[in-house]
mmCIF file of all heavy atoms in Angstrom:
data_model
loop_
_atom_site.group_PDB
_atom_site.id
_atom_site.type_symbol
_atom_site.label_atom_id
_atom_site.label_comp_id
_atom_site.label_asym_id
_atom_site.label_seq_id
_atom_site.Cartn_x
_atom_site.Cartn_y
_atom_site.Cartn_z
ATOM 1 N N ARG A 198 158.241 13.562 26.754
ATOM 2 C CA ARG A 198 156.900 12.962 26.722
ATOM 3 C C ARG A 198 155.978 13.674 27.697
ATOM 4 O O ARG A 198 154.814 13.937 27.391
ATOM 5 C CB ARG A 198 156.990 11.475 27.044
ATOM 6 C CG ARG A 198 157.692 10.648 25.963
ATOM 7 C CD ARG A 198 157.431 9.169 26.169
ATOM 8 N NE ARG A 198 157.904 8.697 27.463
ATOM 9 C CZ ARG A 198 159.131 8.224 27.684
ATOM 10 N NH1 ARG A 198 159.992 8.187 26.672
ATOM 11 N NH2 ARG A 198 159.486 7.800 28.872
ATOM 12 N N GLU A 207 146.925 21.471 27.877
ATOM 13 C CA GLU A 207 146.720 22.909 27.715
ATOM 14 C C GLU A 207 145.848 23.192 26.497
ATOM 15 O O GLU A 207 144.987 24.078 26.525
ATOM 16 C CB GLU A 207 148.070 23.616 27.582
ATOM 17 C CG GLU A 207 148.880 23.640 28.873
ATOM 18 C CD GLU A 207 150.244 24.268 28.685
ATOM 19 O OE1 GLU A 207 150.610 24.515 27.506
ATOM 20 O OE2 GLU A 207 150.937 24.500 29.688
ATOM 21 N N GLY A 225 134.694 30.219 10.153
ATOM 22 C CA GLY A 225 135.960 30.902 10.403
ATOM 23 C C GLY A 225 135.844 32.368 10.759
ATOM 24 O O GLY A 225 136.853 33.039 10.951
ATOM 25 N N GLN A 239 143.507 51.192 18.378
ATOM 26 C CA GLN A 239 144.548 50.849 19.340
ATOM 27 C C GLN A 239 145.844 50.490 18.605
ATOM 28 O O GLN A 239 145.808 50.009 17.473
ATOM 29 C CB GLN A 239 144.108 49.668 20.208
ATOM 30 C CG GLN A 239 142.865 49.935 21.039
ATOM 31 C CD GLN A 239 143.092 51.031 22.059
ATOM 32 O OE1 GLN A 239 144.118 51.052 22.743
ATOM 33 N NE2 GLN A 239 142.138 51.958 22.155
ATOM 34 N N ILE A 254 163.643 40.483 15.558
ATOM 35 C CA ILE A 254 163.340 41.907 15.485
ATOM 36 C C ILE A 254 162.165 42.213 16.402
ATOM 37 O O ILE A 254 161.463 41.305 16.862
ATOM 38 C CB ILE A 254 162.985 42.359 14.046
ATOM 39 C CG1 ILE A 254 161.692 41.677 13.577
ATOM 40 C CG2 ILE A 254 164.130 42.095 13.088
ATOM 41 C CD1 ILE A 254 161.134 42.271 12.303
ATOM 42 N N ASP A 278 145.377 29.240 3.531
ATOM 43 C CA ASP A 278 144.503 29.601 2.416
ATOM 44 C C ASP A 278 143.577 30.759 2.788
ATOM 45 O O ASP A 278 143.220 31.577 1.933
ATOM 46 C CB ASP A 278 143.673 28.395 1.979
ATOM 47 C CG ASP A 278 144.508 27.347 1.270
ATOM 48 O OD1 ASP A 278 145.588 27.694 0.762
ATOM 49 O OD2 ASP A 278 144.087 26.181 1.230
ATOM 50 N N ILE A 280 144.189 33.314 4.924
ATOM 51 C CA ILE A 280 144.859 34.613 4.901
ATOM 52 C C ILE A 280 145.265 35.000 3.478
ATOM 53 O O ILE A 280 145.264 36.189 3.138
ATOM 54 C CB ILE A 280 146.074 34.654 5.860
ATOM 55 C CG1 ILE A 280 147.154 33.653 5.462
ATOM 56 C CG2 ILE A 280 145.630 34.416 7.292
ATOM 57 C CD1 ILE A 280 148.415 33.750 6.316
ATOM 58 N N PHE A 287 145.374 41.815 -2.124
ATOM 59 C CA PHE A 287 146.050 43.019 -1.629
ATOM 60 C C PHE A 287 147.371 43.215 -2.364
ATOM 61 O O PHE A 287 147.688 44.328 -2.813
ATOM 62 C CB PHE A 287 146.288 42.873 -0.127
ATOM 63 C CG PHE A 287 147.052 44.001 0.505
ATOM 64 C CD1 PHE A 287 146.396 45.106 1.030
ATOM 65 C CD2 PHE A 287 148.441 43.952 0.612
ATOM 66 C CE1 PHE A 287 147.106 46.148 1.626
ATOM 67 C CE2 PHE A 287 149.155 44.977 1.207
ATOM 68 C CZ PHE A 287 148.475 46.080 1.723
ATOM 69 N N ALA A 366 151.024 55.179 11.852
ATOM 70 C CA ALA A 366 151.246 55.469 13.274
ATOM 71 C C ALA A 366 151.216 54.204 14.121
ATOM 72 O O ALA A 366 151.287 54.289 15.349
ATOM 73 C CB ALA A 366 150.195 56.465 13.776
ATOM 74 N N PRO A 379 132.743 38.814 -1.047
ATOM 75 C CA PRO A 379 133.076 39.848 -2.045
ATOM 76 C C PRO A 379 132.946 41.263 -1.495
ATOM 77 O O PRO A 379 133.784 42.120 -1.785
ATOM 78 C CB PRO A 379 132.073 39.572 -3.163
ATOM 79 C CG PRO A 379 131.786 38.102 -3.066
ATOM 80 C CD PRO A 379 131.800 37.806 -1.586
#
Side-chain angles (χ1 to χ4, degrees):
R198 292 195 300 270
E207 290 176 351
Q239 299 296 315
I254 64 168
D278 289 339
I280 63 175
F287 176 90

